[in-house]
Every structure is written in C-alpha cells, then in structure tokens.
Amino acid sequence: MHSVTTRVNIVFSFAFTCLAAATFGCFLTTFLTTPPVPTIQLQVVDDPVVKDQRQYHFNVKKSDRADFKFHLNADFTPLFNWNTKQLFVYVVAEYTHEQTPFNQVVIWDKIIQRDDGNEKLALQKLKIKYPFFDDRGALLGNNVTLSLHWNVIPVAGTLPRYADGSIALQLPSDYTKRN
C-alpha cells in the first residue's frame, strides 16, 4: 500500500513531533518553578583609587579610571537543576552623571559550567577584569553601586537574568598619583 520511503517519513515525522512536544514541555516547566536565590557576599577590600588617564592620541581630553579589589563569596548550588546548562556570573558597577543618568559597566565575569564543580565561589582580592573607565571624568567623587548579576543558561527555555548582593562604594574625590 505505502512505499518504504513513505513509511520511514511517517516514523521520522512522528518521532520529531514527539521530541518537539517534549522540548516544549521542558520550556513550559521553566515558568512553573520559582528560581532559588543563592547566598552572595560582595565586599571591597582596599581603598578604591581614581586615576587621571589621558588618551594617548588626544592628550587634552581627561578621562577617569577607577581601580579596586574585592572579595566574592557565593553559593550557586541551588541554581543548578536538570535544566541548567551553565551560569554566566558578572559584577556590574552602576553610577550616575548629569549627562547620562544611568551608567553600567561590567568589571568582572565568569562562566560556571554544570559539571565543573565550581558552584561555590570563594574568591579573595579579585582585581577588576575589565577597565572601569569613564571618558567624561564622571568617576571622581562619585557613588558607585556594585552588584552581582547572573544569567541562567538553560537546556531548553528562556534566558533569565537576575541580580543580588549589591554594595555601595564611594570613590575618592581626588586623583591618585601615578605609580
């Protein structure tokens, strides 16, 4: 009645439909669970410094560059479940300026894989990984809020972003002399 290729096509179509329905079911379960909140401790360990950094090609323009070290203790174990592939964890520095009222700069990040065994972070005296730089000179004497953000990268489902563990940091009002 039906040829062999027609029967194979029907079997593969049915198998693909079942697989798509199972993936969609996994996607729906991500909305039914409330995400657990990990324990986070973020602490600045030394006095922050702000340096006057001139651009090498344009010596007149003044820019600010802040630098400091921090401790990060976090336990992301509750976030790992059957649908978690990896976590993207990053520290964001937020500050305001009259020209731009909302500024965010990523100063450190890390990818945590499911099977790495690095779900608990106990990192001491971390240097900022990316330069904390402002080309308008808005860092001097400014209040900065550091917060830990993370993205849960699922096997199937949405890509949510969360934040917790924020601390306030007052940058110095005078430039630090160059070393």
Side-chain angles (χ1 to χ4, degrees):
M1 197 147 85
H2 293 290
S3 67
V4 173
T5 56
T6 305
R7 290 176 191 223
V8 170
N9 186 21
I10 291 170
V11 169
F12 279 120
S13 296
F14 180 72
F16 181 74
T17 304
C18 291
L19 185 62
T23 304
F24 187 69
C26 291
F27 169 72
L28 287 179
T29 61
T30 59
F31 291 112
L32 300 176
T33 60
T34 57
V37 179
T39 57
I40 296 169
Q41 234 180 356
L42 190 63
Q43 177 186 7
V44 176
V45 290
D46 62 352
D47 292 332
V49 296
V50 177
K51 293 183 179 181
D52 175 16
Q53 183 164 343
R54 308 270 179 180
Q55 297 291 332
Y56 68 92
H57 60 280
F58 192 63
N59 202 15
V60 179
K61 188 174 181 182
K62 195 189 308 187
S63 302
D64 289 349
R65 181 177 177 157
D67 197 15
F68 53 87
K69 293 180 182 175
F70 61 95
H71 293 323
L72 174 61
N73 296 315
D75 184 10
F76 292 107
T77 307
L79 295 177
F80 284 92
N81 58 25
W82 64 270
N83 195 26
T84 304
K85 183 177 180 182
Q86 65 186 16
L87 292 178
F88 179 64
V89 180
Y90 53 103
V91 176
V92 174
E94 298 176 6
Y95 63 98
T96 60
H97 187 259
E98 64 248 2
Q99 293 176 350
T100 54
F102 186 66
N103 300 288
Q104 286 186 325
V105 179
V106 175
I107 59 172
W108 180 87
D109 66 356
K110 183 174 179 66
I111 295 174
I112 302 172
Q113 299 286 339
R114 181 193 326 196
D115 297 328
D116 279 354
N118 294 331
E119 293 87 13
K120 294 182 181 180
L121 297 178
L123 306 171
Q124 306 297 318
K125 291 194 175 182
L126 282 171
K127 292 181 181 178
I128 57 178
K129 192 174 183 180
Y130 306 108
F132 187 14
F133 181 77
D134 187 88
D135 59 353
R136 292 178 311 275
L139 294 180
L140 199 62
N142 207 335
N143 292 321
V144 177
T145 302
L146 299 177
S147 58
L148 185 72
H149 296 244
W150 63 92
N151 291 64
V152 177
I153 292 113
V155 175
T158 60
L159 183 68
R161 184 179 80 170
Y162 303 100
D164 197 15
S166 62
I167 59 168
L169 173 67
Q170 175 68 40
L171 293 178
S173 56
D174 295 323
Y175 287 117
T176 305
K177 301 289 183 204
R178 292 186 179 267
N179 296 354

